[in-house]
Amino acid sequence: MTGKVNVFEIRCGSGHAIGVLELDNASSLNALTLTMLRTIQQQLLHWQHDENIISVMIQAVGDKAFCSGADIRALYYALENDPAVTAAEQTVAPTVDDYINHSSNEKSYLAKPFLIDYFTIEYSCDYLIHNYSKPIIAWGNGLVMGGGLGLFIGASHRIVTPTALLAMPEINIGLYPDVGATWFLNQLPAGIGLFLGLTGAHVNASDALDLAMADYLIVDKDRENLIKRLKHYPWQNIKENQAATIITEMLTDIATDSERQRPPSQMIPYFPQIQAACVAPTLDVVYEQINAIDGLGCWLEKAKQTLAHGSPLSANICFHQMQQYQQASLAECLAMELSLSVRCGLVGEFKEGVRARLIDKDAQPKWLYKTISDVDIRLVKSLFVPLWQKQANPLIDLM
């Protein structure tokens, strides 16, 4: 995948500048390659210490997607071309102990290092955005999914356009809601984060605002209006730390004109039913209650279908992360997810999901387990066992 990040600065009349990171991989819906993530990380670190940079804007080329997620094809091919992974897949009638061994595959010298490298850089970028010392404006136009939501959700000023659709659809490919979703989905009202993780449901602009997953609704053509205001503001007259307040005032003013473009809510009409369905002690009960939600709309039906056809192992992982990490910090969640993501890659479910959805496109993934009830909880718990001692975790600096 040949994606890149266009890096430039918008010069302001005051002599200051707005740094811009523009995701440019439109043919793959701006999916994030490892090179793109390295560029984002390096440039954010550079701008953070540049006194002339007032704020950073993250946007994307094209009108279909801000970012569809990670470069999962590259992750797939790393697994596909690793002899140790291929050999593990040849196990005849594998047992749960075999799957547990696969998830730590000590013989993998190709896929495992790549998975560690990719997710370490990706999660480091996400954490940096959440804790950035300057305002970050994220322009969420079109699809904002998976790794794209990881970049978007931590920004200080999160803009959605009327076409925006936010989602964590990893259950479709045998992964789980990562990029800090263990933390940010748990910040949503009770049950809602679990529902989004289990169903991969799209959150439109109206629902994103109501759930506080976004801050402003602005039509895409008004991006130039924002840039004009940023360029002409007398930044030399402001005190330190005032930039965020000024940008908030600008965006609030511009958003007022876009309110009539707000799309009808899709989730909020089902909000009480979703909460009631997802606050339950076991995944089996949650599954049954989601399917029992009364409604004939396409949005709800698609959510139910995704739950029915997604990875049963992923569903169990999602349930566990939403139940067991409600009090964990963002840094703790990302450090846990790094280990979990590598294990999920090596165990085989993720590779099969990507094969079925994106490589062969037969839409017939052969999941490790047929139903959520079939999943051996020992495997689920083993996937959460850290790959490293705490001090050896590549994300220890976040802690």
Side-chain angles (χ1 to χ4, degrees):
M1 189 181 291
T2 56
K4 62 180 180 178
V5 177
N6 301 320
V7 180
F8 55 95
E9 296 178 6
I10 298 171
R11 309 308 302 180
C12 302
S14 63
H16 297 84
I18 308 298
V20 180
L21 297 172
E22 184 177 64
L23 309 181
D24 188 352
N25 194 10
S27 63
S28 296
L29 298 175
N30 295 318
L32 297 165
T33 66
L34 183 56
T35 299
M36 291 170 71
L37 288 166
R38 290 192 192 281
T39 301
I40 292 169
Q41 183 185 45
Q42 292 167 5
Q43 200 60 45
L44 284 175
L45 289 171
H46 171 70
W47 279 335
Q48 187 163 239
H49 301 291
D50 186 339
E51 293 182 358
N52 288 321
I53 296 295
I54 292 293
S55 176
V56 174
M57 180 181 290
I58 305 178
Q59 60 186 37
V61 170
D63 57 6
K64 291 183 179 179
F66 169 75
C67 175
S68 61
D71 181 5
I72 56 178
R73 283 186 173 87
L75 297 170
Y76 171 86
Y77 286 120
L79 292 162
E80 175 70 5
N81 295 316
D82 189 323
V85 173
T86 303
E89 292 174 345
Q90 305 308 313
T91 306
V92 178
T95 65
V96 65
D97 290 324
D98 290 320
Y99 291 142
I100 290 172
N101 290 332
H102 296 171
S103 74
S104 59
N105 202 325
E106 299 298 338
K107 296 180 180 179
S108 172
Y109 295 103
L110 174 63
K112 191 173 182 179
F114 183 73
L115 292 170
I116 292 171
D117 200 18
Y118 185 92
F119 290 122
T120 297
I121 297 296
E122 183 178 28
Y123 299 170
S124 295
C125 285
D126 297 331
Y127 187 81
L128 181 57
I129 290 171
H130 275 274
N131 293 278
Y132 207 60
S133 61
K134 299 179 179 182
I136 293 183
I137 303 167
W139 195 273
N141 188 32
L143 299 178
V144 186
M145 296 186 174
L149 188 52
L151 295 181
F152 179 86
I153 201 77
S156 60
H157 295 75
R158 303 166 300 181
I159 298 161
V160 285
T161 67
T163 64
L165 292 174
L166 284 58
M168 294 301 292
E170 289 78 9
I171 193 170
N172 284 306
I173 55 169
L175 203 54
Y176 70 97
D178 65 330
V179 296
T182 307
W183 181 81
F184 68 74
L185 289 183
N186 264 319
Q187 304 305 303
L188 298 176
I192 300 302
L194 177 59
F195 178 84
L196 294 179
L198 291 176
T199 66
H202 291 172
V203 176
N204 74 3
S206 291
D207 292 329
L209 292 168
D210 288 337
L211 292 173
M213 297 177 74
D215 304 305
Y216 311 94
L217 172 69
I218 299 178
V219 295
D220 200 43
K221 66 181 179 62
D222 276 341
R223 178 164 27 180
E224 291 305 314
N225 183 6
L226 172 61
I227 291 172
K228 183 178 180 180
R229 294 193 187 200
L230 292 169
K231 286 174 66 173
H232 294 294
Y233 192 86
W235 297 109
Q236 72 275 16
N237 297 331
I238 71 165
K239 296 179 181 179
E240 190 176 359
N241 299 325
Q242 282 188 317
T245 300
I246 292 163
I247 292 171
T248 295
E249 292 171 354
M250 288 181 185
L251 292 171
T252 301
D253 184 46
I254 296 171
T256 301
D257 295 331
S258 301
E259 186 62 28
R260 64 183 179 276
Q261 301 294 328
R262 184 167 174 154
S265 295
Q266 293 178 308
M267 171 184 278
I268 297 304
Y270 298 105
F271 193 86
Q273 291 174 276
I274 290 172
Q275 281 201 296
C278 293
V279 181
T282 67
L283 179 57
D284 285 3
V285 173
V286 170
Y287 186 93
E288 292 174 3
Q289 292 182 164
I290 288 177
N291 282 310
I293 294 175
D294 188 25
L296 299 175
C298 293
W299 179 85
L300 181 61
E301 288 306 310
K302 185 174 181 180
K304 291 180 179 180
Q305 288 173 11
T306 299
L307 177 59
H309 299 295
S311 160
L313 178 58
S314 294
N316 275 269
I317 292 170
C318 179
F319 186 75
H320 189 83
Q321 69 184 129
M322 291 296 102
Q323 291 282 320
Q324 300 300 317
Y325 292 86
Q326 293 178 4
Q327 305 304 318
S329 68
L330 173 62
E332 290 169 337
C333 288
L334 287 168
M336 177 277 290
E337 288 177 2
L338 175 58
S339 180
L340 178 58
S341 294
V342 174
R343 288 191 183 279
C344 285
L346 294 172
V347 80
E349 193 83 330
F350 167 71
K351 183 185 172 187
E352 173 60 12
V354 177
R355 179 207 65 76
R357 306 298 186 192
L358 292 174
I359 307 300
D360 297 337
K361 298 181 180 180
D362 59 22
Q364 297 293 324
K366 296 178 177 61
W367 301 127
L368 298 181
Y369 299 95
K370 291 184 177 181
T371 71
I372 58 169
S373 299
D374 292 337
V375 176
D376 194 314
I377 195 64
R378 287 187 297 153
L379 175 58
V380 176
K381 290 182 176 179
S382 74
L383 295 174
F384 284 84
V385 174
L387 277 170
W388 311 274
Q389 295 294 324
K390 183 176 180 180
Q391 295 303 315
N393 189 302
L395 293 178
I396 186 60
D397 290 345
L398 306 187
M399 306 292 283

